[in-house]
Amino acid sequence: MDKSDLLQLLSEAGQDHLLQFWDELSLEERAALTFDLQGMDLKEINGFFETAMKMSCGSKQEKMDARMKPVPAEVLGSVTRDRGSVKGWEEAGLHCVSQNKVAVLLLAGGQGTRLGVSYPKGMYDIGLPSHKTLFQIQAERILKLQHLAEQKHKVKCCIPWYIMTSGRTMDSTKDFFSRHNYFGLDKKDIVFFQQGMLPAMDYNGKIILESKGKLAMAPDGNGGLYRALGCQGIMDDMQKKGIEFIHVYCVDNILVKVADPSFIGFCVQKGADCGAKVVEKTNPTEAVGVVCQVDGRYQVVEYSEITLATAEKRSTDGRLMFNAGNVANHFFSFAFLKDVVEKYEPKLQHHVAQKKIPYVDTQGNLIKPDKPNGIKMEKFVFDIFQFAKTFVVFEVLREDEFSPLKNADRQDGKDTPTTARHALMSLHHRWVLNAGGHFIDENGRRIPAIPSLKDGTDLPIKCEISPMVSYFGEGLEELVKGKEFLPTLVMDEQGVQQMVKNGV
């Protein structure tokens, strides 16, 4: 395609400004720009912009309060309030795993920009004694769960791992897995695929140039998952493997129970086509979306979409009425996911994120704006809840299952490497105590049992248990019961090690 053909294509879409520096570009730069533009449906992108901006203007003016209802009791399961049922759900989930019916789908498109690194977030080392990354911890949880299902049901099984990256993280993620020999998993059971990208646009719908020959592009949000599943043959691959149930989660949660058998068993026994794992929102002003009904359909309502009065409403038991905090941790039946990909995905609307987007001006100078100058368009993974015929919600304890890694360390920081590390070590400390073990200080005195972190101010006992030793605290009695340990305690395939400051 030569310049005149390109110009005609762009003029029809009102985007001919993209060639304003054409004569200054090298042959390689021209070829790269042509390749990018040929791969785009510009009319579709213009349509996305118009619809997204209309939706954004409408949603700013209207709060959701009058249309919202909390999650009804009949679709809610809880690890605390339904304690007697959890074992049965877990066994049902393990049975599904043993039959090779369960896959996990990891949303790993994000870079660690807010952590101060340029590589994928899953490669981040949060400073555990083992120095394991998020990717390694999650891979080992899959391995351990396969072993648990094989031990119980005496059959060989595998949990395929589908990993969605973005254009910016695909190569480095694949290389990282290859260099670490796929963390003990079989290479054929790991499938990498890439979410789509969309151009950033100014408020007039013009695509932004980040340099003279390069468009400003951004991933299309974690809800881009559904289009990618169809375009890249992932649904076909799942069908060939006989997958019936899929667990979807985000890479940044260090406590995630990958392919959690209790969650899967609960959803399967309820006959659900879609399920959301939630943690109780205890503070009305916590900036987290809540799962609820809006006009009779399930969705996640963001904190900014409701008034403070509604956020503060409480039920008769004293809990917040809208307390089902969304943690991006979902269950889908294969049949439902197939319907989403084939029927419902085109109906999903893009959300607008206003951003400060570096751009080149008409003189070719790079400008870094100090206030938002354009939008990025994205879909969210939970946008498809509305299409579920049987939707369920599974409430778990935050201190056991949710500690996201989002920000770099700083004093009193939230969702940092330190808070993630403390959350995991605190969980493992509780596992040891529950299995009958004790911790002592350097004088041999028993350290009082602190069941969980209080406001992040109590430093946890330094204790790390490899997922290869225990998936959710099981099987530790023979290793720790009646024994006393000095921190730092590390338990892995090599055994129980007590590390002191001067070495092991």
Side-chain angles (χ1 to χ4, degrees), residues 219-340:
D220 56 1
N222 57 25
L225 164 70
Y226 306 114
R227 194 173 216 189
L229 288 173
C231 293
Q232 300 191 42
I234 302 301
M235 296 307 293
D236 294 337
D237 189 72
M238 286 184 181
Q239 193 154 18
K240 277 188 204 128
K241 287 175 177 160
I243 299 302
E244 293 184 23
F245 312 112
I246 299 105
H247 178 222
V248 179
Y249 70 97
C250 282
V251 72
D252 61 5
N253 178 14
I254 194 165
L255 299 183
V256 65
K257 289 169 74 174
V258 186
D260 176 11
S262 304
F263 181 36
I264 288 165
F266 167 73
C267 293
V268 170
Q269 288 195 350
K270 286 278 189 182
D273 45 18
C274 181
K277 190 178 272 197
V278 300
V279 298
E280 184 174 359
K281 180 179 167 177
T282 51
N283 173 3
T285 58
E286 184 186 2
V288 63
V290 292
V291 179
C292 61
Q293 285 184 320
V294 176
D295 299 332
R297 290 181 170 187
Y298 288 96
Q299 71 178 67
V300 174
V301 173
E302 297 297 347
Y303 173 66
S304 58
E305 295 177 310
I306 57 174
T307 62
L308 182 60
T310 294
E312 288 178 334
K313 277 186 184 171
R314 293 191 181 266
S315 304
T316 50
D317 63 2
R319 288 181 154 130
L320 290 173
M321 185 176 286
F322 295 101
N323 69 357
N326 176 53
V327 292
N329 193 316
H330 310 307
F331 164 95
F332 300 127
S333 71
F334 176 82
F336 175 66
L337 194 55
K338 193 166 189 286
D339 276 350
V340 166

Side-chain angles (χ1 to χ4, degrees), residues 45-65:
I45 289 166
N46 285 347
F48 289 163
F49 173 82
E50 285 171 24
T51 311
M53 290 302 281
K54 270 185 207 154
M55 292 284 293
S56 174
C57 292
S59 63
K60 271 181 201 157
Q61 290 149 12
E62 182 200 0
K63 294 287 184 183
M64 294 280 194
D65 304 51

Side-chain angles (χ1 to χ4, degrees), residues 6 20 40 43 47 115 130 135 241 253 263 281 300 313 324 381 386 400 413 447 489 504:
L6 261 185
Q20 62 186 305
M40 282 183 189
K43 285 184 179 161
L115 289 165
S130 67
F135 280 144
K241 287 175 177 160
N253 178 14
F263 181 36
K281 180 179 167 177
V300 174
K313 277 186 184 171
V381 71
Q386 60 183 306
D400 287 354
I447 299 169
L489 175 68
V504 178

Side-chain angles (χ1 to χ4, degrees), residues 168-410:
R168 293 171 184 156
T169 61
M170 174 65 108
D171 290 342
S172 46
T173 301
K174 286 174 82 170
D175 179 58
F176 189 72
F177 271 75
S178 176
R179 280 189 284 117
H180 290 86
N181 202 24
Y182 302 90
F183 305 107
L185 290 163
D186 194 321
K187 180 182 175 181
K188 71 173 172 43
D189 296 329
I190 302 177
V191 179
F192 299 95
F193 67 106
Q194 195 169 307
Q195 74 185 102
M197 303 282 281
L198 283 172
M201 304 178 94
D202 69 17
Y203 293 122
N204 298 311
K206 301 293 185 189
I207 294 172
I208 293 172
L209 282 172
E210 68 174 34
S211 66
K212 289 181 180 179
K214 199 165 189 325
L215 312 179
M217 301 290 291
D220 56 1
N222 57 25
L225 164 70
Y226 306 114
R227 194 173 216 189
L229 288 173
C231 293
Q232 300 191 42
I234 302 301
M235 296 307 293
D236 294 337
D237 189 72
M238 286 184 181
Q239 193 154 18
K240 277 188 204 128
K241 287 175 177 160
I243 299 302
E244 293 184 23
F245 312 112
I246 299 105
H247 178 222
V248 179
Y249 70 97
C250 282
V251 72
D252 61 5
N253 178 14
I254 194 165
L255 299 183
V256 65
K257 289 169 74 174
V258 186
D260 176 11
S262 304
F263 181 36
I264 288 165
F266 167 73
C267 293
V268 170
Q269 288 195 350
K270 286 278 189 182
D273 45 18
C274 181
K277 190 178 272 197
V278 300
V279 298
E280 184 174 359
K281 180 179 167 177
T282 51
N283 173 3
T285 58
E286 184 186 2
V288 63
V290 292
V291 179
C292 61
Q293 285 184 320
V294 176
D295 299 332
R297 290 181 170 187
Y298 288 96
Q299 71 178 67
V300 174
V301 173
E302 297 297 347
Y303 173 66
S304 58
E305 295 177 310
I306 57 174
T307 62
L308 182 60
T310 294
E312 288 178 334
K313 277 186 184 171
R314 293 191 181 266
S315 304
T316 50
D317 63 2
R319 288 181 154 130
L320 290 173
M321 185 176 286
F322 295 101
N323 69 357
N326 176 53
V327 292
N329 193 316
H330 310 307
F331 164 95
F332 300 127
S333 71
F334 176 82
F336 175 66
L337 194 55
K338 193 166 189 286
D339 276 350
V340 166
V341 170
E342 293 175 1
K343 295 183 199 170
Y344 302 130
E345 192 281 332
K347 298 179 184 177
L348 297 178
Q349 307 291 343
H350 285 91
H351 303 264
V352 167
Q354 300 200 33
K355 299 282 186 180
K356 293 182 273 194
I357 304 162
Y359 66 99
V360 287
D361 64 13
T362 52
Q363 311 304 310
N365 302 311
L366 179 63
I367 309 293
K368 292 189 175 177
D370 54 11
K371 62 182 181 185
N373 62 316
I375 68 160
K376 294 181 178 178
M377 296 179 287
E378 53 193 11
K379 294 180 178 180
F380 298 146
V381 71
F382 52 71
D383 287 341
I384 52 82
F385 289 178
Q386 60 183 306
F387 304 116
K389 291 182 180 68
T390 308
F391 183 84
V392 296
V393 176
F394 193 62
E395 185 186 78
V396 297
L397 290 170
R398 185 185 298 241
E399 60 264 37
D400 287 354
E401 297 204 33
F402 185 59
S403 181
L405 175 64
K406 296 186 182 297
N407 306 307
D409 267 324
R410 64 180 188 278

Side-chain angles (χ1 to χ4, degrees), residues 1-10 19-23 30 34:
M1 189 179 273
D2 62 18
K3 183 186 176 184
S4 60
D5 292 332
L6 261 185
L7 199 54
Q8 185 179 346
L9 182 79
L10 292 169
L19 294 189
Q20 62 186 305
F21 302 109
W22 181 265
D23 295 338
R30 288 180 184 180
T34 302

Side-chain angles (χ1 to χ4, degrees), residues 428-463:
H428 291 174
H429 174 203
R430 296 197 302 278
W431 285 1
V432 171
L433 297 179
N434 290 339
H438 302 277
F439 285 90
I440 54 171
D441 61 22
E442 59 272 22
N443 299 314
R445 287 190 300 248
R446 282 195 180 176
I447 299 169
I450 302 170
S452 61
L453 296 178
K454 294 187 181 71
D455 306 320
T457 52
D458 291 320
L459 290 178
I461 297 287
K462 287 188 176 173
C463 170

